[in-house]
Amino acid sequence: MAARELLRILRPGGRVLVFAWAMEQNGRRKFEQGVQDVLVPWVVPGSRQKDGPERVYQRYYHLFREGELPALFQSVGGCAIEQVGYDRDNWYAVAIKENNVVR
C-alpha cells in the first residue's frame, strides 16, 4: 500500500502531501457516474508521425470520493491528518507521522 510506504519513509513529525483525482470533478473531464476505477487515454507527446497515428496508452486511475484519502492514511495508523481539501478537481490530504511505528 502506497500510504504505508510514504509513512514508513518519513521521520517522526514529517509531513506528506498527497493529491488524487476527485470523483466529484467539476472540470472538463467527464467520467461515468459512480465509477471510481477508470482508464484515461494518454497521448504520447511527439508521437505523431507523418501520416501515422499517435501513440495512445490507457492509464488506470482510482477516483477518490470525499473523505476516502484521509481514511486511507488513518487505516494505516501512526499518523495524524493535518489538513484535507479540494483543489482543481483533486482531493488532497496532509498527514504527519506520529512515531516510528507504521502498521
Side-chain angles (χ1 to χ4, degrees), residues 1 4 10 22-23 30 32 38-40 57 63 70 72 75 79 85 92 96-97 101:
M1 176 188 281
R4 179 178 290 117
L10 282 178
M23 186 156 190
K30 302 296 179 209
E32 186 178 337
V38 297
L39 292 175
V40 179
Y57 295 97
L63 303 174
L72 180 65
S75 73
C79 70
Y92 68 88
I96 302 173
K97 185 173 180 177
V101 179

